[in-house]
């Protein structure tokens, strides 16, 4: 019996994975997400990522058995919540800060979500990874902002608009490229917050 066989498949797999440094792994993740943004999920291939990162296909397949697993791992590794930590002391200030922050990366994030498109609906692992990386952290941060506003007495917990704040903010990021062919940048999102969202919430204090 060889030493690999004695160690078992889990140990062998761990040994193979250890040969890739965290820095190299991040190169793979960056490459796969860049190609998804540029070409779309359907056009993404392990061969293309291997060529762009100058590695063998077998290296990628050893690490991530399938394309969905590879993309899901990249999404989770690039998990970078944008709204966590925003706390200006008022809900209006928080929403303005959210608009500025979301606008700074609306190009990359929107392109990624659009490129994943229907594939996300067809693959549960991809769907979970997308929600883990780009959706749930921002929803949690928005809920925390609303909760603090309720505690401060700025707004009542049963205000009918509160339920729709996440959908309004995250939805406009997705919709503007479709309606106008332009990304929802910070200036656009700030105007949206000022003229649509804050009045609907009854928060019309000056910026």
């Amino acid at each position: 019996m060889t030493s690999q066989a004695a160690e078992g498949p889990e140990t062998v797999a761990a040994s193979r994975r250890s040969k890739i440094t965290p820095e190299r792994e991040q190169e793979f993740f960056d490459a796969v997400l860049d190609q998804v943004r540029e070409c779309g999920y359907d056009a993404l291939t392990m061969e293309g990522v291997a060529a762009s990162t100058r590695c063998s296909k077998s290296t990628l397949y050893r690490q991530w058995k399938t394309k969905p697993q590879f993309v899901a791992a990249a999404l989770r590794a690039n998990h970078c919540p944008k709204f966590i930590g925003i706390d200006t002391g008022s809900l209006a200030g928080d929403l303005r800060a959210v608009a500025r922050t979301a606008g700074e990366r609306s190009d990359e994030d929107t392109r990624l979500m659009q490129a994943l498109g229907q594939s996300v609906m067809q693959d549960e692992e991809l769907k979970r990874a997308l929600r883990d990386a780009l959706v749930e952290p921002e929803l949690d941060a928005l809920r925390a902002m609303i909760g603090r506003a309720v505690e401060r007495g700025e707004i009542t917990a049963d205000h009918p608009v509160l339920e729709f704040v996440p959908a309004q903010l995250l939805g406009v990021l997705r919709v503007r490229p479709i309606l106008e062919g332009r990304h929802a940048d910070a200036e656009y999102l700030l105007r949206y917050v000022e003229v649509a969202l804050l009045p609907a919430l009854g928060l019309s204090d000056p910026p």
Side-chain angles (χ1 to χ4, degrees), residues 172-183:
V172 75
L173 285 166
R174 296 289 306 275
V175 168
R176 194 189 192 198
I178 297 172
L179 294 180
E180 302 181 25
R182 291 184 289 173
H183 293 290

Side-chain angles (χ1 to χ4, degrees), residues 25-36:
E25 187 175 59
Q26 189 60 51
E27 286 182 36
F28 294 147
F29 290 151
D30 290 342
V32 73
L33 294 184
D34 284 344
Q35 290 196 25
V36 169

Side-chain angles (χ1 to χ4, degrees), residues 1 18 43 52 60 65 69 79 81 92 96 132 141 161 164 171-172 188 198-199:
M1 179 180 292
S18 67
S52 68
L60 300 180
K65 304 302 182 185
Q69 287 182 19
H79 168 76
R96 293 184 183 109
D132 290 346
V161 175
F164 302 103
V172 75
Y188 179 85
L198 294 184

Side-chain angles (χ1 to χ4, degrees), residues 1-199:
M1 179 180 292
T2 66
S3 60
Q4 283 191 348
E7 290 171 350
E10 293 84 1
T11 305
V12 174
S15 175
R16 286 173 175 169
R17 289 184 66 84
S18 67
K19 295 179 182 178
I20 295 181
T21 65
E23 293 77 14
R24 183 60 165 154
E25 187 175 59
Q26 189 60 51
E27 286 182 36
F28 294 147
F29 290 151
D30 290 342
V32 73
L33 294 184
D34 284 344
Q35 290 196 25
V36 169
R37 292 186 185 98
E38 293 300 321
C39 308
Y41 178 81
D42 290 340
L44 173 74
T45 64
M46 299 291 248
E47 290 83 354
V49 177
S52 68
T53 55
R54 298 183 179 181
C55 74
S56 66
K57 288 189 298 180
S58 60
T59 297
L60 300 180
Y61 279 112
R62 272 200 306 270
Q63 299 290 114
W64 305 282
K65 304 302 182 185
T66 65
K67 183 170 79 170
Q69 287 182 19
F70 192 9
V71 175
L75 286 169
R76 292 191 170 100
N78 283 269
H79 168 76
C80 184
K82 299 182 290 295
F83 302 159
I84 291 176
I86 292 177
D87 185 359
T88 66
S90 73
L91 183 55
D94 288 351
L95 293 176
R96 293 184 183 109
V98 165
R100 295 187 189 95
T101 302
E104 290 172 358
R105 288 196 52 185
S106 65
D107 185 359
E108 287 188 6
D109 289 348
T110 302
R111 283 166 57 204
L112 181 59
M113 294 183 77
Q114 290 177 334
L116 290 170
Q118 188 62 27
S119 302
V120 171
M121 305 307 297
Q122 297 171 346
D123 188 287
E124 283 299 320
E125 184 170 11
L126 270 182
K127 184 190 297 185
R128 287 196 303 271
L130 183 65
R131 291 193 63 83
D132 290 346
L134 296 180
V135 179
E136 289 297 339
E138 313 306 2
L139 290 179
D140 289 343
L142 288 170
R143 292 174 186 133
M145 293 173 198
I146 291 170
R148 290 193 299 268
V150 171
E151 290 176 0
R152 289 190 296 258
E154 294 178 63
I155 195 165
T156 61
D158 61 352
H159 194 294
V161 175
L162 289 180
E163 176 186 358
F164 302 103
V165 169
Q168 288 177 302
L169 282 171
L170 300 180
V172 75
L173 285 166
R174 296 289 306 275
V175 168
R176 194 189 192 198
I178 297 172
L179 294 180
E180 302 181 25
R182 291 184 289 173
H183 293 290
D185 58 17
E187 187 274 336
Y188 179 85
L189 290 172
L190 275 170
R191 284 193 293 116
Y192 175 78
V193 167
E194 294 293 346
V195 305
L197 190 51
L198 294 184

